[in-house]
Structures are given as structure tokens and as C-alpha cells.
Amino acid sequence: MDAEELTSLVASTADEDPLAGLGSVARLRAETERTEAVLVRRARNNGATWPQIAAALGVSKQAVHKKHSGRGLPGGRA
């Protein structure tokens, strides 16, 4: 999803119809989760540790490891 699409989705959360706004929130959440997974995988592939990634996300090491470990990282690293 490009920046223009994201901007449009964010703007549509202010729609007068709350159901339309909620649909946009759901799409934003899905895109955010996808982007987070990609960035965590990149960080691990570049040698970042789970504590470093957790600090960047503002969560515990355990939380980020549980959510993202085992997602097919090269070399069998989890």
C-alpha cells in the first residue's frame, strides 16, 4: 500500500458513517501488521536482537518474540 492509499484510509476514518470509519480502521490495522512483520524480518536478517526490536516497538522481548518468531527466517533463526 502506498502513501496515497494510506492517507486516504486515514482520512476515511473520520467519515460520518461510523461503520465506514471502522472498515478503514480494520484495513489500516491489517496494513500495519503486515508492515511490522516485514520490518521485524528485515531487522532480524540484519542482525538485530529481539530486545532491540522490542525496544523499537515499545513492547517486551517476550511479546515480540512470541508474535514474530518462527516466520521463516533464513538460516533457521527464530
Side-chain angles (χ1 to χ4, degrees):
M1 185 172 292
D2 65 21
E4 188 175 313
E5 289 174 294
L6 284 172
T7 300
S8 176
L9 267 179
V10 169
S12 66
T13 63
D15 193 291
E16 287 186 24
D17 177 3
L19 295 178
L22 287 170
S24 296
V25 167
R27 290 181 58 204
L28 285 165
R29 183 181 300 118
E31 182 62 19
T32 300
E33 290 292 322
R34 186 197 68 77
T35 301
E36 179 181 306
V38 168
L39 293 173
V40 167
R41 185 174 58 247
R42 283 184 194 166
R44 290 291 292 158
N45 288 341
N46 288 335
T49 65
W50 289 116
Q52 290 171 319
I53 294 168
L57 290 172
V59 299
S60 71
K61 178 187 93 162
Q62 292 81 5
V64 75
H65 187 264
K66 180 178 180 181
K67 183 175 182 180
H68 293 286
S69 68
R71 291 198 175 206
L73 294 171
R77 292 187 332 205

